[in-house]
Amino acid sequence: MGKYVIKKGKKIHFVLKANNGQIIGTSESYESEKACTAGIASVIKNAPAAKISDTTDENAGKVSNPKFEIYKDKKGDFRFRLLAKNGENILSSEGYTAKTGCKKGIDSVIKNADSPTVEE
């Protein structure tokens, strides 16, 4: 099982780590720890039900929120973001050189969504 790690600094954010310690996704910055924990709760709630929207495939159909949105960044790497039912970005991935890696990252978020929260 993975874990959510709350990172405190000027602002607060969390990362979702896989069992092997690798970061699967990173949240936006929050003003308070309460808002940060609400973001974690949103991942737990939305990830298992989210469909995949692949914006790199022109033949892909429209998918409603919550969803994992696959896209290409400026470098040409594949990335995903988890969007809540209201369209807010909850979690974003690192860049992957191959779409298959990106999809495995999405699978890992779903697999680890119900992980415990810790502070480092």
Side-chain angles (χ1 to χ4, degrees):
M1 179 175 276
K3 62 184 174 182
Y4 292 94
V5 181
I6 295 176
K7 305 275 190 172
K8 295 181 179 179
K10 288 184 180 181
K11 293 199 175 192
I12 302 169
H13 74 280
F14 66 87
V15 295
L16 175 57
K17 290 186 175 184
N19 194 33
N20 64 4
Q22 186 171 352
I23 294 174
I24 309 166
T26 304
S27 75
E28 64 180 355
S29 293
Y30 297 97
E31 296 291 331
S32 69
E33 190 169 346
K34 182 179 179 182
C36 186
T37 56
I40 292 170
S42 188
V43 173
I44 293 168
K45 177 183 176 184
N46 288 289
K51 303 286 189 238
I52 295 177
S53 172
D54 187 349
T55 64
T56 67
D57 181 355
E58 59 191 42
N59 295 318
K62 187 158 173 76
V63 177
S64 60
N65 295 332
K67 66 184 173 187
F68 286 97
E69 187 175 67
I70 297 174
Y71 65 98
K72 275 192 170 183
D73 65 16
K74 292 177 183 176
K75 279 181 40 183
D77 287 343
F78 292 93
R79 293 180 178 265
F80 68 82
R81 58 184 148 234
L82 174 59
L83 302 177
K85 211 170 202 169
N86 64 4
E88 288 285 319
N89 183 4
I90 315 169
L91 190 74
S92 298
S93 75
E94 64 182 5
Y96 296 89
T97 55
K99 192 186 295 189
T100 54
C102 188
K103 288 182 176 180
K104 286 180 183 177
I106 291 170
D107 291 342
S108 189
V109 170
I110 295 166
K111 177 182 173 188
N112 292 287
D114 199 19
S115 294
T117 302
V118 299
E119 290 185 27
E120 282 187 357

